[in-house]
Structures are given as C-alpha cells and as structure tokens.
Amino acid sequence: MEQYVIKGGNPLEGEVTIAGAKNAALGILAAAVMTDQEVTIENVPNVRDTRVLLQAIQGIGASVRYIDEHTVAICGGTINPNNDLCVDDEFIRKIRASYYLLGALLGKYNQSKVALPGGCEIGARPIDLHIKGFEALGATVTIANGMIQAKAEALVGKHIYMDITSVGATINVMMAAVLADGKTTIENAAKEPHIVDVANFLNSMGANIKGAGTDVIRIRGVKELHGTTYSIIPDQIEAGTFMVAAAATKGNVLIKNVIPKHLEAITSKLNEMGATVIEYDDSVRVMVDKRLKSTNIKTLPYPGFPTDMQPQMTAALALSNGTSVVTESIFENRFKYVAELSRMGAHIRVEGNTAIIDGVPTYSGAAVVAPDLRAGAALVIAALVANDFSTISDIKYIQRGYEKFEEKLRELGALIEKVETEKDIQKFKFKVS
Ligand code: EPZ
C-alpha cells in the first residue's frame, strides 16, 4: 500500500504552481456532455477524481480524448439516449461527484440513473436538495435498488429555494435547468468560485445563466448547447493548502497561478496568526519567521472560511502560541483526523462540532493514517513540521485532490517520498540522515 514517508523540520521555500480547481472540474466535465458537439476543457487537474469521472463519462457512451495531461476533449454526441443512461455504482463508490451526471443527463435527455452516493468520512452528505430541485423542475425521482432514477416528460423552469446552501445541489440543479422550458431561479444558491466557473462554462456553451456567485441564480432555458473551449480556474483549496504549509513550517513560498480574491478568508486568518501574505495579480507570497499566534475559525459557505481548509488550518493552529477554537459548521464529522494529529503531539479537545486547540511548540513524528482528503493534507503539514520521521498511509485520499503533491513539496525543500515497503522507508531514512 502506498504511503508517504517524511522527514520534517525544513521550512518550505521557493515557488509552487497551482493546478486547476478539482471541484470546478468535476462539475464542468459532467456538464460537457450536455452538447452533441465537441468541448475542449483546459487546465483540468490530473487527479484521481477527475480521471474517475472521465471514465464514468466514457461509460455512458461519450467520447473522451486527452489532448495533453491537462486538456481533454469530450463529445456527448456519441451517447445513445436509448441505452440505459446509467452511471455505474463503481464510479459513484469511487467519487461522489459522479452524481453531477444526474443533473447533466436529466437536463439533456429528460432522464438519468445514477447509483446512490453513500455518506463518507466527513458526514452523512444526503442529496435531498438535489432531488428537491429536480422534482421542482418536473422530474419524477425514484430511489430503488441503490439507484436514483430521474425522468421527466419535459423540464419546466421553476423558482427553487435551497433550504441549505449546497455546492453540489446548486451545480446539479443549474445543469438540469439550462435546457428547461422557461425561467428557473435558485434562491440561497451556493456562491463558491467553482459554482461561478461551472456557470461561466455553461454560458460559453450557449446557456443563459445570470447571478452565479450571488445567492440568487437566474437561468433562462435555451433550446440546445454548442461546443466550446474553456479553461478551469485555479484550485482555491490547493492554493490554501500550500499557503498554510508555508506558514506552519515558518517558510517563504510564492504560490503561483491563483486568484487572490478566492483566497481572502485564508489570507485574512493567516494575517491574524502573524504570517506575512503579499498579494500579486495571480500569485501570493506567504512568509513566517516566528511562532504563529492563535486565532478562532468558523467554517462557512463562501466567502466565509472554507470547510475544505479546516483540517489544514487546525494543523497550523495546533502549533500556535495560545488557545484557538475551530468550529465546523458545514459537516457533522470533520474532526476525525484530530486523533491522528494528537499522536503527533497536538493538544486538541473536540466537543461536538468544535475543536479547542492548545498550541504546542512543535510536532513529533509518528505513523498516522489519512481519514479523508483534506485531513490527509493536514497530516502532511504536521509531518513537515516535526523534526523527525513520519509515515502517512491511505494516501489514496490525498491523491484524489492534489496533483503531484509530493513532487511539489519536494521542490519546496520538503524531504518526502511516496513508498510502498518498509525497505523503501529504510532507504529513505538512510538517504536523508
Ligand atoms: C462540495 O461537496 C465539495 N465537493 C466539498 O469538497 C466541499 O467540502 C463542500 O462542497 C462544501 O464546500 C465537491 O465539490 C466535489 P454541499 P458537496 O452540498 O457539494 C448538506 C473536498 O475536499 N447537504 O455544499 O457535497 C451536506 O450534508 C470536498 O474537495 C444536504 O443536507 O457539499 C453538508 O452538511 C469535501 N442535502 C452541507 O449541506 C443536500 O442535498 C454542505 O454540503 C446536499 C447537501
């Protein structure tokens, strides 16, 4: 089983370039099948989640052609709607976001069938709001045999109120509405940068979507969509992860290919913690030369502090001078990694959806297990700080959302390798000692 072995203690220094946004790419790749013409998508992050979704898209009959590592051409024209427009369970089990094909295929063919996504490590993650939106547009949604089936004679635009601000439901319902008859309004819509990117992508295909990035999205249905070439925005969370890693290791890193506006909540918190963050047009520099200060964090929908940065920031706050409080208001079970951080010396008490963190001067190395994607990144940050050896297993989670993670860290001076055997670990230890 692949794992990371890390010898920490080196401040991260140098430059790193951020890849395309995973959570924008997953919506955009699914939406690409909504036209029969070829769509070319650039700056696709080469991570496990996008590769699996592209396999699911091929699985329903669309053609997928890699032009280069980060550019893919998709043509939905080869999909045969008379076939069972079904997204296999294997793809849903691998990545929940395969359920974006539910909205894309329903929007284009008035029918779709997708395996029910289970919950995951961070919470139950129901999809009731996705279903409520599809039903509002006139679809009949049935759940049987572990599958969700959505069918409609015709989809008709409606006023839809989202009880909870949901990224996935906003994207899925937006896709189902772009070819519906008439006008759809999505109230209490999610405003994340990736929502705007999916809306801009659909508009580049001829959709008529206004208001993405605000909490009211207005969609006027069009007859059909056409081909386009589109480049995905940089990944806000990958950028934030490297910003926090630079701060936690008291380094000096220029993070390139970012949209600083998308990073405002992270920048603001790092400033409160005593980091120096310099913003340029498409990059940010993070510098820290002394122990970080404590602060408090509450995760909120964008533009609030992103839940996907909660574990990474907690790993940095666990080193700060003082007591910090982190409140997770989006998911009900996103502190599972705290037990692993505690094995590395962190002093954190979890009470419900709140973590009370008493800062310690540093971490000690340990063998830890990544419970999910962003928690895995947090454990890597802790291991980079510990002036000691650590191993991190279950890195498949990390590989879902970070492209060339260990290579990028090595270029910043980190001593990290992906290994499979105890022998590899000993060789690494010998090499770096
Ligand atoms: C997206 O998940 C992201 N995933 C998550 O990133 C991210 O943490 C989350 O948005 C919040 O920003 C992708 O974009 C692929 P939600 P999603 O619907 O869409 C509840 C990562 O690390 N809810 O905004 O599933 C839900 O349980 C991943 O990249 C319902 O109750 O998140 C949660 O408590 C992890 N019913 C809250 O809403 C619904 O129908 C927000 O979830 C839908 C959601």
Side-chain angles (χ1 to χ4, degrees):
M1 179 74 78
E2 284 186 331
Q3 53 183 310
Y4 286 145
V5 56
I6 294 170
K7 167 73 169 63
N10 292 358
L12 295 184
E13 291 174 343
E15 299 185 354
V16 63
T17 299
I18 300 305
K22 165 181 85 84
N23 292 345
L26 294 172
I28 287 169
L29 293 174
V33 305
M34 296 188 74
T35 172
D36 285 345
Q37 296 176 11
E38 185 168 83
V39 166
T40 301
I41 303 163
E42 299 166 344
N43 204 31
V44 180
N46 180 14
V47 294
R48 188 169 166 276
D49 276 14
T50 51
R51 291 195 297 271
V52 169
L53 182 58
L54 285 166
Q55 288 164 6
I57 288 169
Q58 282 176 308
I60 55 169
S63 71
V64 172
R65 182 167 53 88
Y66 279 93
I67 295 170
D68 64 35
E69 185 185 4
H70 299 114
T71 308
V72 64
I74 295 173
C75 184
T78 52
I79 295 172
N80 176 350
N82 302 317
N83 280 356
D84 190 6
L85 285 176
C86 176
V87 179
D88 279 355
D89 186 40
E90 65 157 310
F91 296 116
I92 288 289
R93 286 191 187 286
K94 284 177 183 168
I95 60 162
R96 292 170 48 79
S98 303
Y99 62 27
Y100 282 145
L101 288 168
L102 202 57
L105 295 171
L106 176 65
K108 183 181 182 187
Y109 300 111
N110 287 342
Q111 60 169 319
S112 64
K113 192 159 79 169
V114 172
L116 258 177
C120 73
E121 311 75 21
I122 60 177
R125 302 183 79 179
I127 59 166
D128 55 307
L129 294 175
H130 301 239
I131 292 169
K132 173 184 171 181
F134 298 149
E135 289 176 336
L137 294 171
T140 302
V141 180
T142 52
I143 293 179
N145 312 108
M147 302 295 286
I148 316 164
Q149 181 147 27
K151 274 192 170 184
E153 284 305 309
L155 293 171
V156 179
K158 271 295 182 312
H159 185 282
I160 298 167
Y161 178 78
M162 294 288 184
D163 311 47
I164 297 175
T165 303
S166 160
V167 168
T170 301
I171 289 175
N172 235 342
V173 173
M174 187 162 66
M175 287 192 285
V178 289
L179 295 169
D181 299 330
K183 187 176 162 190
T184 297
T185 305
I186 303 175
E187 290 271 3
N188 195 23
K191 301 183 276 195
E192 274 70 6
H194 26 294
I195 305 274
V196 178
D197 213 25
V198 175
N200 289 341
F201 170 70
L202 285 164
N203 283 340
S204 79
M205 293 167 75
N208 183 338
I209 303 169
K210 293 186 170 44
T214 74
D215 45 15
V216 182
I217 298 179
R218 301 180 198 292
I219 301 160
R220 283 192 181 285
V222 295
K223 280 282 164 270
E224 64 179 9
L225 298 176
H226 54 69
T228 185
T229 296
Y230 191 84
S231 185
I232 292 169
I233 56 169
D235 193 310
Q236 165 202 33
I237 305 303
E238 185 195 14
T241 301
F242 279 98
M243 290 170 76
V244 172
T249 59
K250 298 197 184 79
N252 180 343
V253 176
L254 181 66
I255 296 113
K256 303 194 300 184
N257 188 34
V258 302
I259 299 173
K261 172 123 186 81
H262 293 166
L263 306 172
E264 277 178 351
I266 301 156
T267 297
S268 162
K269 283 298 167 184
L270 286 174
N271 284 330
E272 281 176 33
M273 294 162 69
T276 301
V277 184
I278 304 169
E279 289 185 2
Y280 302 96
D281 288 345
D282 60 357
S283 59
V284 291
R285 180 175 292 280
V286 177
M287 295 182 289
V288 170
D289 56 8
K290 57 191 179 304
R291 190 174 180 189
L292 293 167
K293 297 177 207 156
S294 59
T295 188
N296 299 326
I297 304 249
K298 178 171 186 177
T299 65
L300 287 167
Y302 189 81
F305 190 88
T307 176
D308 290 350
M309 282 301 303
Q310 180 260 92
Q312 302 92 309
M313 190 57 96
T314 298
L317 288 170
L319 297 164
S320 67
N321 191 3
T323 299
S324 306
V325 176
V326 174
T327 305
E328 172 56 59
S329 71
I330 306 292
F331 291 108
E332 65 270 27
N333 188 22
R334 199 164 199 173
F335 284 119
K336 276 177 68 178
Y337 64 93
V338 165
E340 298 299 294
L341 270 189
S342 304
R343 301 183 65 241
M344 300 178 77
H347 290 176
I348 304 173
R349 197 170 71 252
V350 176
E351 292 175 5
N353 68 342
T354 299
I356 298 101
I357 305 162
D358 294 321
V360 295
T362 189
Y363 285 108
S364 57
V368 291
V369 180
D372 64 71
L373 164 56
R374 305 304 176 182
L379 294 174
V380 169
I381 290 172
L384 292 171
V385 172
N387 190 3
D388 205 336
F389 287 99
S390 300
T391 57
I392 298 173
S393 48
D394 274 1
I395 61 170
K396 64 179 183 301
Y397 288 115
I398 301 174
Q399 292 165 328
R400 289 187 53 181
Y402 291 96
E403 180 181 328
K404 299 190 180 70
F405 196 42
E406 67 273 13
E407 290 94 326
K408 290 185 177 183
L409 287 168
R410 262 203 301 276
E411 282 170 26
L412 293 173
L415 298 174
I416 176 174
E417 266 183 32
K418 186 163 57 180
V419 296
E420 293 214 31
T421 65
E422 183 54 37
K423 188 161 172 272
D424 293 340
I425 292 173
Q426 295 315 317
K427 274 166 60 179
F428 174 83
K429 287 185 174 180
F430 179 75
K431 187 169 71 172
V432 302
S433 298

